[in-house]
Amino acid sequence: MRYVVVGSGISGLSAAIFLARQGHAVTVLEAASSPAPLLRGFRRQGLHFDTGFHCGGGLHEGGVLRRWLRALGVEKALGNIRTGRRDVFCFADGSRYCLPDGHGAVCAAVDRQFPGTGDALCALLQDMERQLAHSPYLNPAVSGDPAPVWHRRGNTDGILQGAGFPAALRAMLGARCLLYGVLPHESAWEDYALVAGPYFQSNGSWDGGGAALAAGLLDILQKTGVPVRCGQTVCGLDVSAGKNVSGVFVHGGERLACDLCLFTGHPSQLASIVPGGLFRPAYLHRIADLPESRSALLLFAEARGVLHPGESVHLLPEAESACVFPGLEAEEPCLHLFCDRPQHDGRMAVMAAAFLPPGAPPASPRACADWKREAVARVRAQAEKRLPGLADAWHVLDAATPLTLRRWIHGSTGSLYGVGHHWHAMPLLPVTRLPGLLLAGQNILLPGVLGGIVSAALAVGFAVGHDAVLKEFRQCGENG
């Protein structure tokens, strides 16, 4: 069988490995000039900024992400896999709390900071474990084909309120919904359990982050003989008279024959590459109406000494305020700082994120430039107000607006994570009504590196059989 994988992000590279291991001929097409651009990150003034992977859950021995890395064959290429990362929450009233990793440590820390809440939190963590345990793609002990879960108990905010947690603790737990760009009242509890649940088990990273992961995956593909062709923008699918995918067209007119196309881009791009009349109008409308995750302004800065490596710092307003996660336009905006390990010269890469209201920035280039300058100054001022030690210890090197994100992620709003996984909108499934076209990527099932790998494995499972894809994952679970 001949397969074309469109996109060389975490989903595309993972899918290509899974397909090649089954003996199929695979070609990966990437529109950018180099593979895995978002996963690899970028450099400014000699400092690397990890836009692909600064931390992840389930990295402990036997954890779900660790098992998938092992199943892909890339685990040994990632140096010094470590856990122990923590989240620090600084509220506007001066109160400061933290969430470590590991169920026991989390419950003990929460009970110490909010006396009497530890048992209720442990019950919620156990419920997350049950959610994680239902899927063969997240729990290698489970056998059988995957089945979508249509019943949803409610949104995360409602579940946390029902547990009787104080406002500050609800904000701390709810902040992990921002791992996939939605607010707690927009997040289904089941999605929260699958995305945030592994972070409560363990929270960590490895040397080199997303760049090391991309390099390891590309090395596996090179050894397997899978070509990754860059600068190849797919502009259409060739569909046979029997309405099966038979090839893809790239800009410039070249046609690549294939028996199956696995598409990992933003779903909104499908309307421009699938010939008219092959998708029902209702399906195209559904794609067009998919909610987007929130837009953000991202700052990329260097810092020395003031921030601790291995921490994510969340600057939140008063816990009792009407909006716990206000955007940059608010008097007390919510800011998130992600800190990397120091380099040999003592510099540390810091990424700061501030979510934005709809409609920002303005469309005209001149107005956008002015807006960006003012927005960057506001983020800096707010961060330095809340963390006074930053003033003389960090220097902003670059910034990304929603226009930047739209160019790389292709969402219509410049969203941070593409499609938003809202509790009132069911995600797209990997299978489509067009034979020979499968979908993968964080826009499909779950966001993040784990979500990208799982969506790739699931899509490939529909093509070659789920047992074939899950075999090594299950073995990693037994041996881990």
Side-chain angles (χ1 to χ4, degrees):
M1 295 280 286
R2 299 164 299 176
Y3 290 80
V4 166
V5 176
V6 180
S8 68
I10 181 62
S11 295
L13 298 180
S14 300
I17 290 173
F18 294 136
L19 288 167
R21 284 188 183 158
Q22 298 302 315
H24 301 292
V26 186
T27 299
V28 179
L29 301 180
E30 169 58 53
S33 59
S34 57
L38 290 176
L39 184 59
R40 287 186 296 108
F42 66 94
R43 298 183 75 83
R44 289 291 184 272
Q45 298 186 20
L47 197 62
H48 180 261
F49 291 94
D50 197 346
T51 57
F53 186 87
H54 63 266
C55 64
L59 275 176
H60 58 288
E61 189 65 44
V64 60
L65 179 53
R66 186 74 168 261
R67 287 167 171 168
W68 273 117
L69 295 173
R70 189 174 301 160
L72 282 166
V74 76
E75 179 191 25
K76 292 182 179 179
L78 305 177
N80 189 24
I81 297 178
R82 60 194 177 275
T83 58
R85 191 179 180 93
R86 66 176 189 164
D87 289 280
V88 176
F89 301 86
C90 302
F91 289 89
D93 62 3
S95 58
R96 185 178 183 274
Y97 307 98
C98 73
L99 282 179
D101 69 347
H103 282 190
V106 169
C107 291
V110 166
D111 202 52
R112 183 173 61 253
Q113 296 170 107
F114 304 94
T117 61
D119 289 344
L121 180 60
C122 286
L124 278 186
L125 294 180
Q126 290 170 4
D127 186 64
M128 290 187 212
E129 291 291 290
R130 287 191 290 272
Q131 297 289 334
L132 286 166
H134 87 278
S135 169
Y137 280 86
L138 294 172
N139 181 0
V142 177
S143 61
D145 289 347
V149 178
W150 300 107
H151 173 69
R152 296 192 168 189
R153 287 165 47 192
N155 65 61
T156 299
D157 186 54
I159 297 293
L160 296 178
Q161 287 194 41
F165 294 139
L169 180 55
R170 293 201 307 272
M172 292 163 59
L173 299 174
R176 288 199 164 157
C177 294
L178 303 177
L179 290 166
Y180 47 111
V182 297
L183 296 175
H185 71 271
E186 300 168 332
S187 159
W189 173 248
E190 290 75 14
D191 289 343
Y192 181 87
L194 298 181
V195 177
Y199 282 81
F200 289 102
Q201 297 173 335
S202 62
N203 188 354
S205 186
W206 53 77
D207 293 344
L213 177 58
L217 295 172
L218 289 166
D219 182 61
I220 293 171
L221 290 177
Q222 182 180 30
K223 292 176 179 177
T224 314
V226 174
V228 180
R229 297 175 50 177
C230 297
Q232 302 284 296
T233 301
V234 172
C235 59
L237 298 182
D238 191 12
V239 179
S240 66
K243 295 186 177 180
N244 294 292
V245 173
S246 60
V248 300
F249 296 104
V250 298
H251 281 304
E254 183 181 2
R255 176 186 180 276
L256 278 77
C258 66
D259 301 296
L260 184 144
C261 173
L262 197 151
F263 181 83
T264 69
H266 195 285
S268 63
Q269 298 173 289
L270 289 173
S272 65
I273 67 171
V274 175
L278 295 181
F279 279 158
R280 291 180 176 179
Y283 185 71
L284 294 175
H285 285 308
R286 184 187 171 202
I287 291 175
D289 292 339
L290 285 171
E292 290 282 309
S293 56
R294 302 185 76 191
S295 298
L297 176 75
L298 301 178
L299 265 59
F300 305 98
E302 67 170 63
R304 294 178 183 268
V306 65
L307 296 169
H308 297 286
E311 278 189 355
S312 298
V313 181
H314 308 268
L315 306 180
L316 304 179
E318 300 284 351
E320 300 290 348
S321 63
C323 181
V324 183
F325 304 108
L328 185 57
E329 79 284 0
E331 182 178 349
E332 288 284 354
C334 176
L335 303 178
H336 309 273
L337 284 73
F338 307 100
C339 317
D340 209 345
R341 300 182 77 187
Q343 296 192 150
H344 65 275
D345 60 1
R347 293 190 301 163
M348 181 188 299
V350 177
M351 291 187 290
F355 287 101
L356 300 174
S364 78
R366 177 173 294 183
C368 181
D370 292 339
W371 176 91
K372 179 178 178 179
R373 198 161 38 247
E374 294 170 1
V376 169
R378 177 159 173 74
V379 171
R380 289 190 59 180
Q382 288 292 328
E384 292 171 7
K385 173 185 174 183
R386 302 287 296 282
L387 298 173
L390 275 179
D392 299 319
W394 76 330
H395 174 59
V396 177
L397 304 180
D398 207 343
T401 71
L403 299 182
T404 312
L405 298 172
R406 188 168 64 191
R407 185 167 68 247
W408 287 101
I409 301 176
H410 303 292
S412 60
T413 64
S415 57
L416 189 56
Y417 297 102
V419 169
H421 294 268
H422 287 231
W423 84 288
H424 53 74
M426 295 303 299
L428 292 177
L429 296 176
V431 291
T432 72
R433 291 181 62 85
L434 177 58
L437 175 63
L438 293 171
L439 309 179
Q442 71 172 18
N443 293 289
I444 306 304
L445 289 174
L446 298 172
V449 165
L450 176 60
I453 296 172
V454 169
S455 75
L458 184 58
V460 172
F462 281 112
V464 303
H466 296 293
D467 284 341
V469 180
L470 288 170
K471 179 180 178 181
E472 292 184 62
F473 177 59
R474 288 172 177 155
Q475 289 175 344
C476 291
E478 294 167 0
N479 300 331

